[in-house]
């Protein structure tokens, strides 16, 4: 039979997950009547605590004194797609900060699915995670309130909502930088290649590029929406670009994976990059410099973004009720290579 979760116990007893956790771990903090109600629900449902997870959260520091007096705990980092080098860069930045503070990190991917994202959050709540760092897909204010009620700190990455800390990149500025660079090399017929579902940061990049082009007296970029933000979809996008009339002489891609696919296909078709079409990406992943034509791109401070998100989560835990939510905004920068 499936194992009963701590959330089911909380629902049956009419209390929060945090209260159930206190009954299990710090019963002296809970009123006697509430303790009795929770224990009755535990017995009725046959709840058995996950001992391995409990030990992960509560065991002492790796080496006496290595991390001071802070107990070692688990944090969850939820991203849209762990196969995307941008996402793994963000997670590694968060992981380094949390590891140095003496904590462990669980990597989770929503795969752009609201349902899977919710299951990931339920899992972290069941495991009594100390905090959640998330690039959200369908997260809303009620989810934030629920996690906070369970005693879990939450930090949004590349997104913001009232009632939570956030760490993000100024993607509108990134789009403006990309478009300004294309205009600076005399590329005014610009196409923007993106993927569906289009994350909000990609929309902001497109908006920034469009504003810069319009202010310079050019039209908004033609937008091609592919099925994913991947190299294979970039190749298909390149074929669509070559079927346009007139063919764009500048292409701004929503991420580097798309841009690499665009460049590879243009080269296969005999199109000269950048002489015929200049291509610029976004992220500056490791593969960008080794593309068929090394990729000009907008560099996101991925590692720094994850680190800042982790620091915000740790600050919330340290400061407790005195904590004031903060928003950290980082600025991207241009990396010029041969493609533009």
């Amino acid at each position: 039979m499936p194992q009963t979760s701590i959330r089911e116990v909380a629902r049956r007893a009419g209390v929060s997950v945090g209260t159930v956790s206190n009954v299990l771990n710090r019963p002296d903090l809970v009123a006697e009547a509430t303790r009795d109600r929770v224990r009755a629900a535990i017995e009725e449902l046959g709840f058995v605590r996950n001992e391995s997870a409990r030990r992960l959260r509560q065991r002492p520091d790796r080496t006496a004194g290595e991390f001071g007096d802070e107990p070692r705990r688990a944090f969850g980092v939820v991203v849209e797609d762990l196969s995307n080098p941008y996402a793994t860069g963000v997670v590694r930045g968060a992981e380094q900060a949390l590891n140095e503070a003496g904590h462990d990190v669980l990597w989770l991917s929503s795969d752009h699915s609201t349902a899977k994202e919710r299951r990931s959050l339920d899992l972290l709540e069941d495991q009594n995670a100390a905090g959640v760092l998330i690039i959200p897909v369908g997260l809303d204010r009620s989810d934030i309130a629920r996690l906070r009620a369970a005693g879990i700190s939450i930090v949004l990455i590349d997104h913001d909502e009232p009632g939570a800390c956030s760490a993000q990149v100024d993607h509108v500025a990134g789009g403006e930088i990309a478009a300004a660079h294309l205009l600076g090399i005399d590329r005014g017929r610009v196409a923007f290649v993106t993927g569906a579902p289009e994350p909000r940061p990609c929309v902001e990049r497109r908006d920034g590029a469009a504003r810069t082009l319009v202010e310079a007296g050019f039209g908004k970029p033609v937008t091609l929406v592919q099925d994913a933000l991947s190299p294979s979809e970039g190749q298909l996008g390149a074929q669509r670009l070559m079927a346009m009339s007139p063919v764009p002489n500048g292409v701004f891609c929503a991420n580097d994976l798309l841009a690499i696919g665009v460049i590879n296909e243009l080269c296969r078709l005999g199109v000269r990059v950048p002489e015929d079409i200049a291509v610029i990406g976004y992220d500056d992943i490791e593969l960008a410099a080794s593309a068929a034509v090394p990729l000009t791109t907008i560099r996101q401070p991925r590692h720094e973004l994850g680190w800042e998100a982790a620091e915000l989560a740790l600050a919330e835990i340290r400061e407790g009720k005195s904590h004031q939510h903060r928003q950290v905004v980082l600025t991207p920068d241009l990396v010029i290579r041969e493609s533009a």
Side-chain angles (χ1 to χ4, degrees):
M1 294 180 63
Q3 182 175 336
T4 300
S5 74
I6 194 171
R7 295 181 72 250
E8 293 174 275
V9 172
R11 281 195 294 267
R12 180 62 61 92
V15 298
S16 71
V17 170
T19 298
V20 177
S21 176
N22 282 337
V23 170
L24 293 171
N25 301 299
R26 300 174 294 275
D28 55 300
L29 299 179
V30 183
E32 182 177 0
T34 304
R35 288 201 307 267
D36 291 343
R37 195 160 73 248
V38 170
R39 286 168 177 162
I42 288 172
E43 184 174 351
E44 183 180 349
L45 294 172
F47 171 77
V48 179
R49 74 163 76 195
N50 184 331
E51 286 297 324
S52 61
R54 184 178 68 86
R55 285 193 295 271
L56 173 66
R57 295 191 300 271
Q58 296 184 343
R59 68 184 173 214
D61 300 337
R62 295 179 181 85
T63 303
E66 184 179 2
F67 297 121
D69 296 328
E70 272 296 309
R72 180 176 175 182
R73 300 189 64 187
F75 286 72
V77 183
V78 185
V79 299
E80 296 167 314
D81 184 1
L82 280 170
S83 68
N84 187 324
Y86 162 73
T88 56
V90 172
V91 178
R92 288 204 176 278
E95 183 175 51
Q96 182 179 351
L98 291 167
N99 285 169
E100 289 187 9
H103 305 294
D104 296 289
V105 175
L106 304 175
W107 296 35
L108 298 165
S109 175
S110 67
D111 292 328
H112 301 279
S113 164
T114 299
K116 188 174 181 184
E117 177 183 77
R118 191 170 297 276
R119 290 197 301 272
S120 296
L121 294 176
D122 287 347
L123 171 66
L124 293 169
E125 187 177 352
D126 289 344
Q127 299 302 321
N128 194 28
V132 173
L133 286 62
I134 182 169
I135 300 178
V137 176
L139 186 85
D140 58 28
R141 295 181 187 181
S142 64
D143 295 313
I144 295 172
R146 176 169 58 85
L147 291 169
R148 198 172 302 290
I152 299 172
S153 68
I154 180 164
V155 176
L156 308 182
I157 301 174
D158 266 343
H159 194 86
D160 57 25
E161 281 285 348
C165 289
S166 66
Q168 53 193 314
V169 173
D170 188 343
H171 296 291
V172 173
E176 292 171 345
I177 293 168
H181 179 66
L182 289 172
L183 290 173
I185 57 173
D186 296 323
R187 307 304 168 105
R189 297 194 312 276
V190 177
F192 182 75
V193 183
T194 187
E198 188 176 28
R200 191 176 80 171
C202 294
V203 174
E204 292 173 352
R205 295 163 199 173
R206 172 160 49 89
D207 290 345
R211 183 163 68 189
T212 297
L213 289 166
V214 170
E215 288 178 354
F218 295 86
K220 290 184 178 180
V222 175
T223 298
L224 300 184
V225 181
Q226 299 301 123
D227 288 339
L229 295 158
S230 68
S232 59
E233 287 298 319
Q235 290 178 286
L236 295 174
Q239 296 170 15
R240 295 176 63 190
L241 289 168
M242 296 309 298
M244 294 172 63
S245 180
V247 175
N249 58 12
V251 177
F252 175 31
C253 294
N255 74 352
D256 285 348
L257 295 176
L258 279 171
I260 289 169
V262 167
I263 288 175
N264 290 345
E265 184 65 10
L266 290 177
C267 291
R268 191 188 70 81
L269 295 172
V271 178
R272 296 175 303 162
V273 178
E275 292 84 357
D276 299 324
I277 301 178
V279 180
I280 185 168
Y282 202 105
D283 287 339
D284 195 28
I285 62 175
E286 285 74 9
L287 292 173
S290 57
V293 179
L295 179 64
T296 293
T297 186
I298 304 299
R299 187 188 73 86
Q300 289 206 74
R302 306 188 304 278
H303 188 277
E304 184 181 358
L305 183 64
W307 182 285
E308 290 287 353
E311 289 292 333
L312 288 170
L314 291 169
E316 182 171 359
I317 292 171
R318 285 194 307 269
E319 295 164 8
K321 292 182 178 179
S322 67
H323 177 74
Q324 297 290 319
H325 295 308
R326 297 188 285 274
Q327 285 69 48
V328 174
V329 181
L330 305 178
T331 303
D333 54 79
L334 176 68
V335 178
I336 300 175
R337 300 191 180 97
E338 294 174 25
S339 72

